[in-house]
Amino acid sequence: MNSNRPITTIQVMAVIISTIIGIGILSIPRYMAEAGDSGAPLVTASGVPVAFLGCWFTAVVCRKFPNETLFVFSRRLLGTWLADIFSMLITLFFAFSAGITMRQFGEVCVAVVFKKTPIEAVILLMLLLVALSIRRNIVKFTYVHVFYLPFILLSVIAIILVAMRNVDVLNLLPLTGNYTTFSSFSKGTITSAGLYQGTFVIILLVPLMKKPQQILKAGTIALGIIGFIYVMIVWVTLGMFGAQETKLLSYPTLEAARSISIGAGLLERFDALFIIIWVISIFTTIFTNYYLAAYSLQQVLRHKDHRLISSFLLPLIFTFSLLPRNIFQVYTFASITAIIGLIFLTFYPLLLWLVSLIRNKGAISHE
């Protein structure tokens, strides 16, 4: 066992899952219902194969260079200047994504929990917590995700299982939706696929994996688990409220949690449990986005440590979080960011993979 490669395949899966399960969990039933009506679970599932393309290209190109991060080997493939431009784009994308996710977190907290607290204070508090947390190396970054994942998964699964008792199967028929068109279905597929861009985090983990040749396996299983959870969340929510009512709810998953209980008053506040777990899942999502932004900028600047870089990025991310003027612009920005991320994080690894094949660079690891 190589002590210089302390990260296992299961830990990589944990990082991917805890990164992706985040802000989208609250609103995904509404987005999918708008796209597919009663066929929302099918629309949700259709996004997984699309998201898998980006994961596959990222995994196979990183597997060809198992001892280096993407930021390093991209310089040999594309040249220093072009690779640094792409790395800078990665920094800006994940910094902006962290900012918009932070703003969505603030909007939910102000609307549901801290109704008299300024949204800037909520955002700044979470941002400071994340900024302090990312001042660690990649191994400790992995351990943070591994620690929180059981709390997230077990709680979400428990809520789904309890909510299944309240599902009316008629609300889920027909399975393909009443008013679904190809255009709306395709839009829903892209929206669903945009939720899985967190798989890009594997670029940090491959050089430290015990078995880097298993990175594609880790990504595939993680996507399958997350896809199943999202489909079940949409299925349960639609089964409880129906497609038309789900479209009217701002946070349908939270409403579903409020509507369930166990026993005769034994446990009635599932929404309180859900909010706690949701805050943890938001933290891990922003944690990864912030870390990727800081690490990529460190690579561009050739700095020895990302801790100083993370401090430099804090005001930038805070500024990004305040750019939308209202809640409608927040979701517009979030949708556009997800689409840009889906395209960019699919085609950039594809470009690197094609160049590596043409130039015959890299070698599959068999460690």
Side-chain angles (χ1 to χ4, degrees), residues 3-179:
S3 60
N4 293 324
R5 289 183 173 274
I7 300 177
T8 65
T9 303
I10 294 177
Q11 288 174 330
V12 173
M13 290 166 51
V15 173
I16 296 172
I17 294 171
S18 66
T19 293
I20 294 176
I21 296 180
I23 193 70
I25 201 171
L26 280 183
S27 303
I28 186 173
R30 173 165 56 87
Y31 292 139
M32 298 299 100
E34 291 172 349
D37 201 67
S38 60
L42 185 61
V43 178
T44 308
S46 69
V48 178
V50 177
F52 177 73
L53 287 176
C55 178
W56 191 87
F57 292 133
T58 306
V60 293
V61 74
C62 288
R63 196 172 58 177
K64 288 174 69 69
F65 303 90
N67 299 313
E68 300 170 328
T69 64
L70 176 142
F71 305 108
V72 175
F73 65 73
S74 62
R75 294 174 194 150
R76 293 204 308 277
L77 295 176
L78 303 178
T80 301
W81 284 102
L82 185 56
D84 282 349
I85 289 173
F86 277 112
S87 295
M88 196 65 205
L89 290 175
I90 291 173
T91 298
L92 292 174
F93 170 75
F94 281 105
F96 190 81
S97 181
I100 294 301
T101 304
M102 200 84 69
R103 176 62 178 272
Q104 290 177 277
F105 166 76
E107 292 285 355
V108 175
C109 285
V110 170
V112 177
V113 184
F114 308 113
K115 298 184 178 181
K116 295 184 179 180
T117 305
I119 191 170
E120 294 84 0
V122 176
I123 293 172
L124 189 58
L125 183 61
M126 175 62 87
L127 187 56
L128 288 171
L129 178 62
V130 177
L132 291 174
S133 300
I134 69 168
R135 299 171 67 88
R136 301 292 182 271
N137 59 34
I138 295 174
V139 175
K140 292 181 180 179
F141 162 84
T142 303
Y143 292 163
V144 170
H145 283 283
V146 172
F147 175 79
Y148 284 119
L149 181 63
F151 298 103
I152 298 172
L153 276 186
L154 293 176
S155 301
V156 171
I157 291 171
I159 291 172
I160 290 173
L161 291 175
V162 175
M164 287 176 68
R165 300 183 307 170
N166 300 330
V167 169
D168 184 348
V169 179
L170 292 177
N171 289 331
L172 300 165
L173 298 175
L175 296 177
T176 55
N178 286 310
Y179 312 105

Side-chain angles (χ1 to χ4, degrees), residues 290-309:
Y290 199 154
Y291 202 101
L292 278 165
Y295 192 89
S296 58
L297 185 57
Q298 174 211 344
Q299 294 295 312
V300 172
L301 299 177
R302 311 295 195 275
H303 199 272
K304 64 179 181 178
D305 199 318
H306 71 278
R307 287 180 293 181
L308 178 63
I309 305 296

Side-chain angles (χ1 to χ4, degrees), residues 161-279:
L161 291 175
V162 175
M164 287 176 68
R165 300 183 307 170
N166 300 330
V167 169
D168 184 348
V169 179
L170 292 177
N171 289 331
L172 300 165
L173 298 175
L175 296 177
T176 55
N178 286 310
Y179 312 105
T180 305
T181 63
F182 178 78
S183 175
S184 64
F185 191 96
S186 300
K187 182 180 178 181
T189 298
I190 298 300
T191 301
S192 174
L195 297 172
Y196 302 95
Q197 57 195 248
T199 54
F200 196 72
V201 71
I202 64 179
I203 67 171
L204 300 178
L205 307 177
V206 171
L208 295 173
M209 285 185 67
K210 286 183 170 65
K211 298 179 179 179
Q213 73 274 15
Q214 293 188 353
I215 185 61
L216 183 57
K217 175 183 176 182
T220 302
I221 295 175
L223 273 179
I225 293 172
I226 302 162
F228 176 76
I229 289 173
Y230 275 160
V231 169
M232 290 304 299
I233 288 173
V234 173
W235 184 81
V236 166
T237 306
L238 250 68
M240 292 178 65
F241 302 123
Q244 298 308 314
E245 185 174 348
T246 301
K247 295 176 186 179
L248 301 176
L249 299 173
S250 297
Y251 309 115
T253 309
L254 178 60
E255 297 300 329
R258 283 175 173 167
S259 304
I260 60 178
S261 61
I262 292 179
L266 176 63
L267 184 55
E268 295 182 349
R269 295 306 305 271
F270 267 94
D271 58 321
L273 171 64
F274 181 79
I275 285 293
I276 294 170
I277 299 306
W278 176 77
V279 170

